């Protein structure tokens, strides 16, 4: 009897984890100040991950090379399994507003902003890499987190990046 109750309890406790692993996000939220990425379904966060940003994480990206992550509403528009950073999912930066602002300022807005795992040629352990803001404007997660995000996000998913 105790064995049946224990087995039932373990099954019940694992249902939320199984459900989270099978959910498909209808939105992704990045809170730069909190260094977190959230997967959202029907307005509710069902998974969250710590992130690394660039050495200059504050402020919106304005131009190529400014080492900033954009802020605003974009779309996750392409999944790439053959990335230099384990796997990557491209963010639709720059949008029309970003392009117009860059044109007005006479600069290149940059592009190729991704959510990605660790570099394929990394020599340091991921646990050490992720302690620092090291990207050129992308959003970095561990490879394990990237696998979970990859499974839960489809191309075309909106992403909101908050300061």
């Amino acid at each position: 009897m105790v064995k049946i109750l224990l087995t039932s309890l373990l099954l019940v406790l694992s249902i939320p984890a199984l459900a989270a692993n099978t959910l498909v996000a209808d939105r992704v939220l990045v809170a730069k100040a909190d260094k977190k990425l959230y997967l959202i379904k029907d307005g509710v966060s069902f998974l969250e991950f710590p992130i690394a940003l660039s050495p200059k994480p504050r402020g919106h990206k304005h131009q190529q090379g400014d080492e900033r992550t954009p802020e605003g509403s974009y779309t996750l528009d392409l999944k790439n399994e053959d990335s230099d950073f384990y796997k990557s999912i491209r963010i639709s930066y720059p949008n029309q507003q970003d392009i117009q602002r860059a044109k007005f300022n006479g600069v290149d807005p940059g592009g190729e902003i991704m959510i990605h795992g660790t570099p394929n040629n990394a020599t340091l352990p991921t646990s050490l890499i992720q302690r620092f803001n090291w990207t050129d404007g992308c959003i970095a997660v561990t490879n394990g987190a990237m696998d979970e995000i990859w499974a839960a996000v489809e191309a075309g998913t909106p992403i909101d990046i908050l300061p």
Side-chain angles (χ1 to χ4, degrees), residues 117-163:
T118 57
N120 292 334
N121 61 358
T123 56
L124 297 172
T126 301
S127 59
L128 181 60
I129 293 171
Q130 285 301 106
R131 288 186 189 177
F132 302 97
N133 285 330
W134 58 271
T135 75
D136 287 332
C138 293
I139 299 163
V141 295
T142 65
N143 293 349
M146 191 68 223
D147 284 336
E148 291 186 69
I149 295 165
W150 188 270
V153 172
E154 298 174 348
T157 302
I159 180 170
D160 295 309
I161 305 171
L162 305 178

Side-chain angles (χ1 to χ4, degrees), residues 23-27 29 38-47:
L23 286 177
V24 175
D26 57 24
R27 179 166 299 280
L29 174 67
Y38 301 91
L39 299 181
I40 311 291
K41 177 74 173 179
D42 298 326
V44 178
S45 170
F46 65 93
L47 285 175

